[in-house]
Amino acid sequence: MSEEQKQLTDSFNALLALTSDLVFVIEDETVRVVSPGDEDWLLVSELPGKTLEDLFPQDFLTLLRGYIRTSREQRQVVKNELVFRPDHQHAFKALGLKEVIWFHSRIMVTDDDQLIWSLRNINDRKKLERRITSQAQRDPLTGAYNRRALMPVLEQNIAQAQRYDGICSMLLIDVDDFSGINDEHSWDGGDQLLRHMVTELHRMKRTADFLARFSDDQLVLFLPETNHDQALLAGERVRRLTNDLELPFASGNISCTVSVGVATLAGIEDSSEDMIRRVMENLAVARQSGGNRVEGESF
């Protein structure tokens, strides 16, 4: 190794030591270097020499390879949010993963085809986002209830179900590649699609069900007196209904698919915050598995 190469290597190692992010250096889909950053749960010594196939389930691996391919072809950093969940990422569970962690992922493929993958823990930000609600009860775009209106309904129904040994579930519905729809059909096209979806879901749902807009491209359907198997079936009905939608628009008919996360009341100690956390995690797995999919609980 030349003196210049040694200096570059030393500088790179110093940068790794300074960052709080979990960083992988990967060649030929094999881990060469790992810097754990602030992720002190990780057994770093076990990672060098592991392949991506050793570490990740097939659905996640397909998603990751897509990001790598995009970075290589477009010669740019690819940014996404990813969730690592012990019951899904079994290899990382064996390496110390004990709780769900949300990461902001940055992937870059260098000119010599070396993959640099940085993962920043954003669990604290996710907790903050879940506390944020708007002040109105209705979403002005779709006319559906909003997240602020959802919370007391969720809390009251959970309390009632726990008091009388009942059950309830919820669906979190996310439009796949909503940004792509906006790019192709304009923001107005995306807005009209959301309004159309809310109208059709109102027609499908039971009278006791509660529909709300959860975020920009996400809707919640709360299902009282609904067990997990029934909620999964409801999620499949939502998925099929959305697949069949076709909205006429000036730039061409708009269609879409959705990913659906499902969560069911887990017992007397469960809370609305717990259910929202789990339904978001299950939705993330559905999206990471390719979208157009319903993902439920692991009991």
Side-chain angles (χ1 to χ4, degrees), residues 246-286:
E246 193 165 307
L247 178 66
F249 196 67
S251 58
N253 290 351
I254 304 176
S255 59
C256 71
T257 62
V258 294
S259 298
V260 183
V262 180
T264 299
L265 186 65
I268 194 67
E269 299 298 326
D270 213 8
S271 68
S272 57
E273 185 175 9
D274 292 332
M275 284 189 70
I276 289 175
R277 172 181 53 78
R278 294 200 310 276
V279 82
M280 291 177 70
E281 292 164 3
N282 291 334
L283 173 62
V285 172

Side-chain angles (χ1 to χ4, degrees), residues 132-263:
I132 297 174
T133 57
S134 63
Q135 297 303 307
Q137 293 288 309
R138 291 276 185 178
D139 169 48
L141 174 66
T142 64
Y145 287 105
N146 64 10
R147 191 165 172 171
R148 180 179 176 84
L150 168 70
M151 296 311 298
V153 172
L154 188 59
E155 291 164 1
Q156 291 164 15
N157 276 271
I158 287 174
Q160 183 175 358
Q162 290 169 332
R163 187 177 303 117
Y164 297 106
D165 197 24
I167 196 71
C168 58
S169 299
M170 63 188 302
L171 312 180
L172 183 56
I173 306 157
D174 181 89
V175 180
D176 295 326
D177 193 24
F178 189 64
S179 61
I181 293 172
N182 284 332
D183 290 343
E184 182 177 356
H185 298 284
S186 78
W187 287 97
D188 185 51
D191 288 349
Q192 289 198 34
L193 175 65
L194 287 175
R195 284 194 290 264
H196 189 50
M197 285 181 60
V198 166
T199 298
E200 295 302 315
L201 288 171
H202 268 300
R203 290 175 180 168
M204 185 203 81
K205 76 178 187 68
R206 303 170 303 180
T207 302
D209 297 339
F210 190 86
L211 179 65
R213 188 179 183 189
F214 194 71
S215 65
D216 287 348
D217 59 346
Q218 294 179 344
L219 303 169
V220 162
L221 189 59
F222 178 72
L223 309 171
E225 299 179 7
T226 303
N227 65 32
H228 193 61
D229 288 341
Q230 293 167 336
L232 288 173
L233 291 173
E236 283 293 339
R237 287 197 296 273
V238 169
R239 190 188 65 80
R240 291 195 299 268
L241 177 146
T242 308
N243 282 354
D244 293 338
L245 293 181
E246 193 165 307
L247 178 66
F249 196 67
S251 58
N253 290 351
I254 304 176
S255 59
C256 71
T257 62
V258 294
S259 298
V260 183
V262 180

Side-chain angles (χ1 to χ4, degrees), residues 15-252:
L15 285 172
L16 288 181
L18 286 171
T19 182
S20 61
D21 297 359
L22 169 60
V23 179
F24 293 88
V25 180
I26 298 170
E27 294 177 345
D28 299 324
E29 295 206 347
T30 301
V31 176
R32 302 302 183 193
V33 178
V34 184
S35 175
D38 290 344
E39 304 306 314
D40 53 10
W41 55 268
L42 184 61
L43 295 174
V44 176
S45 62
E46 300 294 319
L47 281 165
K50 297 280 189 185
T51 67
L52 295 184
E53 289 190 347
D54 294 332
L55 294 173
F56 299 107
Q58 190 58 49
D59 51 5
F60 188 96
L61 187 57
T62 299
L63 181 78
L64 182 59
R65 283 172 171 159
Y67 295 155
I68 295 169
R69 184 170 57 253
T70 299
S71 178
R72 181 181 290 115
E73 292 173 353
Q74 299 183 4
R75 303 176 66 83
Q76 65 181 21
V77 177
V78 175
K79 302 177 183 179
N80 297 94
E81 287 186 4
L82 298 173
V83 61
F84 280 33
R85 201 172 73 178
D87 62 1
H88 188 242
Q89 307 278 9
H90 298 298
F92 278 90
K93 182 178 180 180
L95 292 169
L97 182 65
K98 295 180 180 179
E99 62 179 7
V100 174
I101 301 180
W102 285 83
F103 287 108
H104 181 68
S105 165
R106 294 180 178 89
I107 287 173
M108 182 67 191
V109 178
T110 65
D111 290 340
D112 56 359
D113 212 38
Q114 189 176 67
L115 169 63
I116 311 297
W117 185 18
S118 171
L119 293 163
R120 175 166 297 177
N121 189 318
I122 56 171
N123 269 13
D124 289 343
R125 195 192 83 192
K126 284 293 180 182
K127 291 176 183 177
L128 179 62
E129 287 176 356
R130 288 196 290 269
R131 296 192 188 105
I132 297 174
T133 57
S134 63
Q135 297 303 307
Q137 293 288 309
R138 291 276 185 178
D139 169 48
L141 174 66
T142 64
Y145 287 105
N146 64 10
R147 191 165 172 171
R148 180 179 176 84
L150 168 70
M151 296 311 298
V153 172
L154 188 59
E155 291 164 1
Q156 291 164 15
N157 276 271
I158 287 174
Q160 183 175 358
Q162 290 169 332
R163 187 177 303 117
Y164 297 106
D165 197 24
I167 196 71
C168 58
S169 299
M170 63 188 302
L171 312 180
L172 183 56
I173 306 157
D174 181 89
V175 180
D176 295 326
D177 193 24
F178 189 64
S179 61
I181 293 172
N182 284 332
D183 290 343
E184 182 177 356
H185 298 284
S186 78
W187 287 97
D188 185 51
D191 288 349
Q192 289 198 34
L193 175 65
L194 287 175
R195 284 194 290 264
H196 189 50
M197 285 181 60
V198 166
T199 298
E200 295 302 315
L201 288 171
H202 268 300
R203 290 175 180 168
M204 185 203 81
K205 76 178 187 68
R206 303 170 303 180
T207 302
D209 297 339
F210 190 86
L211 179 65
R213 188 179 183 189
F214 194 71
S215 65
D216 287 348
D217 59 346
Q218 294 179 344
L219 303 169
V220 162
L221 189 59
F222 178 72
L223 309 171
E225 299 179 7
T226 303
N227 65 32
H228 193 61
D229 288 341
Q230 293 167 336
L232 288 173
L233 291 173
E236 283 293 339
R237 287 197 296 273
V238 169
R239 190 188 65 80
R240 291 195 299 268
L241 177 146
T242 308
N243 282 354
D244 293 338
L245 293 181
E246 193 165 307
L247 178 66
F249 196 67
S251 58

Side-chain angles (χ1 to χ4, degrees), residues 6-19 25 33 35:
K6 184 179 183 303
Q7 288 177 353
L8 287 173
T9 299
D10 290 345
S11 297
F12 180 68
N13 290 334
L15 285 172
L16 288 181
L18 286 171
T19 182
V25 180
V33 178
S35 175

